[in-house]
Amino acid sequence: MQASAIGPAEEPSSILWGLDPIFSAFARLYVRDILQMTESTQVPGIYFYNSHPINKVDILGTVVYKRERDDFFCYGVDDGTGVINCLCWKSDAFKEEDHSVREKHSVEAYGNFNLVTELRKLRQAQKERSCLDIGEVLRVRGWVKTSRQQREIMGSTYYKVNDPVMAVQIAWMMEVPRLYRECYNKTIQLNPTATGDSSVSMFSKATNIIKDFFKQKMVTRFRPYDIQDLLQPLVFSQPQKAPEDQQPVAGLSACQQLHQLLKKVLEDLQNEGVIYRRVKSQDEVYDVTVQDKDLLLAVKDVISQDSKREKHAEKGCHILHILSAVRQRHSLNVSRAALELVLKSLECSSDIVSTSDSHYTVF
Amino acid sequence: MLPAAAVFHFPWEINSGAVKDGESVRTFGRLVCYQPEESRATLSAHHAANEHTVVIHTLFVEPFNPILGAQYLVLGEIENAEEVDVRVQARVLNCIDGVNVALLQKAINEQRSFFRERECTQDGVAQPGDAT
């Protein structure tokens, strides 16, 4: 009967809970479901609805029970599916009545605006909104707790909802089923090795392999066939693993796939500015941007020379100015992304200093 | 102790015998009659060309400001009284005049169909599990 009841064996590992977006949201669950959720065996205070880990909820309902203590109210809230106790702490506004009276003498009126009076009005309004009677509508956001075998909500935010024509309640009743259908009732597979779309993940894996390779071997320039072998294991391990997923490229041979992947990776790395081609010729040679000493030197020279000029003396050189100068001096194919990487790397080594987000100078 | 959850029922369901004695309900209707000496109010609603009335025992919510002709929301327990078939022992009686009744009905139906749908799928899921 309970969809929420799952065995401890099925409970996802706590390390994966953060991957579920519902975990970090105040879930608008029905009170009935809040009462029936199973508590986690790993971490008390966490509950499971439909294998979604939940510790915060957001509810709206009619107050059907009220008990007042010195520090808090205890409201029984009925949303039509269940009744739950909500512990609502009184704010300081409740205790500070005497203060506001004492402070009266220091009041200075600026025109009609009197800060102390306004503050008192605000406190009054706050107080009115937090003190409810039976039959009034309350909205509570808070943490789900179990104390003395009773499930309750430890309110973090709560207020009386003025709802004379039930507009808020109706809107809530319409919205919650939608939230259930779109979020809470959908099971998401919290799987540490889940990588989503296989072609996308293969692409990102490939990009990372290449980037790591550049870093480890301090590659300065290369031709595509130099790095082609690096991607081979990715492509050749793919078809055995998921032949169905590869439908669209099924007609291609592994070799063609490899070429395609490489082309895509190189394109992406160029867009990121990680690599660039100094000279565009038949011979496909790529330079690794931050390893290109000539480029770094060129950029440094441009900045150190031009920031001495009166025009740039105050703010330093603008990135677009540097870009055009470098293109003239070094290579026409330097992209802005590549230049930004170079500037970042020069700044990290304190060769240059940024004066704003797009101006650079040398001391 | 917390009372039981008051589930939404349409006024025409209250007298139809669909709700049991002692069950907590919430319903709505236009206040057509109030007899303070008997603590008895009558709500009425139109449905399928019929007028349906719900008798409310108002002892626990008095004094309240009765506005004849206004929409009210009542929350309470069903009890079988002698003089009428069924009456609602009110715990909450709120004036909600100006409410969009059609929209409220839609919202109630929406909620019901959601629960029905969920129970169906759960039964569907639960049965194969039970069989093994």
Side-chain angles (χ1 to χ4, degrees):
Chain A
M1 153 92 208
Q2 284 169 252
S4 48
I6 54 164
E10 298 162 63
E11 196 177 304
S13 160
S14 62
I15 205 161
L16 303 173
W17 292 350
L19 293 176
D20 192 335
I22 297 167
F23 182 58
S24 42
F26 285 91
R28 294 191 185 175
L29 294 174
Y30 286 118
V31 170
R32 182 204 283 184
D33 293 330
I34 297 173
L35 294 171
Q36 290 179 349
M37 291 191 294
T38 42
E39 192 164 5
S40 163
T41 49
Q42 301 170 67
V43 184
I46 309 289
Y47 300 83
F48 283 95
Y49 175 77
N50 209 8
S51 14
H52 291 291
I54 281 165
N55 69 339
K56 298 178 282 190
V57 291
D58 189 349
I59 61 160
L60 177 93
T62 314
V63 173
V64 291
Y65 171 86
K66 179 189 178 180
R67 203 178 59 197
E68 189 174 352
R69 289 278 186 272
D70 284 345
D71 290 337
F72 62 88
F73 293 104
C74 190
Y75 295 117
V77 178
D78 180 345
D79 75 341
T81 67
V83 188
I84 193 164
N85 261 326
C86 298
L87 246 83
C88 299
W89 294 95
K90 289 181 183 176
S91 71
D92 296 337
F94 272 92
K95 298 157 198 164
E96 284 179 7
E97 274 166 300
D98 308 338
H99 289 287
S100 51
V101 178
R102 250 195 293 129
E103 284 161 7
K104 227 174 194 168
H105 65 273
S106 64
V107 172
E108 274 177 54
Y110 296 101
N112 283 331
F113 185 77
N114 182 327
L115 195 61
V116 176
T117 332
E118 294 302 316
L119 198 62
R120 200 181 308 131
K121 273 190 209 158
L122 183 70
R123 287 216 175 107
Q124 189 62 34
Q126 214 179 351
K127 200 173 153 180
E128 275 166 15
R129 287 232 153 182
S130 53
C131 181
L132 284 86
D133 275 317
I134 285 174
E136 288 176 325
V137 179
L138 174 69
R139 178 163 178 200
V140 183
R141 283 180 153 204
W143 283 265
V144 185
K145 290 257 156 28
T146 307
S147 78
R148 297 190 196 123
Q149 274 99 51
Q150 291 256 313
R151 200 148 295 174
E152 58 186 29
I153 296 172
M154 187 72 86
S156 62
T157 313
Y158 68 99
Y159 60 89
K160 175 164 118 183
V161 178
N162 274 327
D163 197 15
V165 295
M166 289 190 77
V168 180
Q169 290 170 82
I170 292 172
W172 191 276
M173 287 167 76
M174 304 285 265
E175 193 189 5
V176 172
R178 201 175 55 79
L179 281 172
Y180 266 86
R181 286 194 187 104
E182 285 175 13
C183 312
Y184 312 141
N185 281 355
K186 285 203 175 141
T187 38
I188 66 163
Q189 214 59 50
L190 296 177
N191 185 350
T193 53
T195 41
D197 187 13
S198 66
S199 64
V200 170
S201 70
M202 187 161 80
F203 170 62
S204 62
K205 265 189 211 159
T207 314
N208 287 335
I209 288 175
I210 300 292
K211 277 189 190 168
D212 287 346
F213 175 69
F214 289 164
K215 225 182 263 172
Q216 275 170 17
K217 305 279 179 194
M218 310 270 270
V219 181
T220 51
R221 61 181 49 176
F222 64 93
R223 292 188 174 84
Y225 57 76
D226 298 328
I227 57 166
Q228 193 170 312
D229 290 353
L230 290 171
L231 302 181
Q232 231 163 21
L234 272 183
V235 175
F236 287 106
S237 69
Q238 197 66 20
Q240 293 100 317
K241 243 166 63 186
E244 287 89 10
D245 293 356
Q246 291 296 341
Q247 276 314 340
V249 284
L252 296 175
S253 70
C255 213
Q256 279 170 310
Q257 274 188 51
L258 182 64
H259 279 295
Q260 262 192 1
L261 180 67
L262 185 63
K263 209 174 136 196
K264 237 170 103 185
V265 169
L266 288 175
E267 214 169 89
D268 187 62
L269 289 175
Q270 267 184 301
N271 289 340
E272 278 182 45
V274 177
I275 56 172
Y276 78 106
R277 291 175 68 183
R278 186 168 178 178
V279 189
K280 276 195 175 142
S281 64
Q282 288 287 31
D283 186 18
E284 237 185 297
V285 181
Y286 291 88
D287 292 80
V288 179
T289 313
V290 287
Q291 297 291 348
D292 187 345
K293 295 277 178 306
D294 292 343
L295 176 61
L296 262 72
L297 212 64
V299 173
K300 220 166 95 179
D301 276 353
V302 167
I303 299 173
S304 64
Q305 280 166 21
D306 287 358
S307 54
K308 285 190 193 106
R309 281 160 56 182
E310 208 180 324
K311 199 176 152 197
H312 305 294
E314 198 182 338
K315 284 182 84 177
C317 304
H318 191 269
I319 186 164
L320 290 176
H321 169 77
I322 304 169
L323 187 61
S324 67
V326 168
R327 276 178 178 167
Q328 272 176 28
R329 189 190 283 218
H330 184 75
S331 160
L332 266 177
N333 303 327
V334 176
S335 65
R336 182 169 175 162
L339 179 64
E340 277 169 1
L341 282 184
V342 171
L343 290 168
K344 212 166 121 190
S345 136
L346 285 172
E347 202 183 1
C348 281
S349 56
S350 296
D351 287 320
I352 60 166
V353 175
S354 63
T355 51
S356 76
D357 59 348
S358 51
H359 288 84
Y360 296 86
T361 189
V362 174
F363 288 127
Chain B
M1 271 304 289
L2 294 176
V7 183
F8 254 117
H9 284 275
F10 293 119
W12 45 92
E13 293 167 337
I14 303 286
N15 285 314
S16 67
V19 272
K20 287 187 230 75
D21 192 17
E23 206 172 308
S24 296
V25 295
R26 67 177 84 191
T27 190
F28 57 91
R30 207 168 276 287
L31 183 70
V32 286
C33 165
Y34 178 52
Q35 296 149 289
E37 61 281 1
E38 290 174 48
S39 291
R40 185 186 145 120
T42 310
L43 300 184
S44 120
H46 284 278
H47 176 67
N50 284 318
E51 196 187 344
H52 300 265
T53 57
V54 180
V55 178
I56 312 288
H57 193 222
T58 57
L59 185 67
F60 297 157
V61 292
E62 281 166 355
F64 76 106
N65 178 25
I67 306 165
L68 289 183
Q71 287 284 351
Y72 277 82
L73 177 82
V74 64
L75 204 142
E77 275 66 41
I78 295 282
E79 56 177 29
N80 288 321
E82 286 149 19
E83 70 272 29
V84 287
D85 286 349
V86 176
R87 71 175 183 182
V88 178
Q89 178 74 53
R91 274 188 277 136
V92 171
L93 185 66
N94 284 341
C95 179
I96 51 162
D97 203 31
V99 66
N100 185 339
V101 179
L103 199 61
L104 176 61
Q105 287 184 25
K106 197 178 157 205
I108 295 170
N109 281 323
E110 182 78 16
Q111 206 169 350
R112 283 184 182 179
S113 67
F114 168 74
F115 278 116
R116 215 176 301 127
E117 207 175 278
R118 193 167 74 167
E119 266 157 40
C120 279
T121 56
Q122 272 168 29
D123 288 346
V125 171
Q127 270 158 8
D130 292 343
T132 53

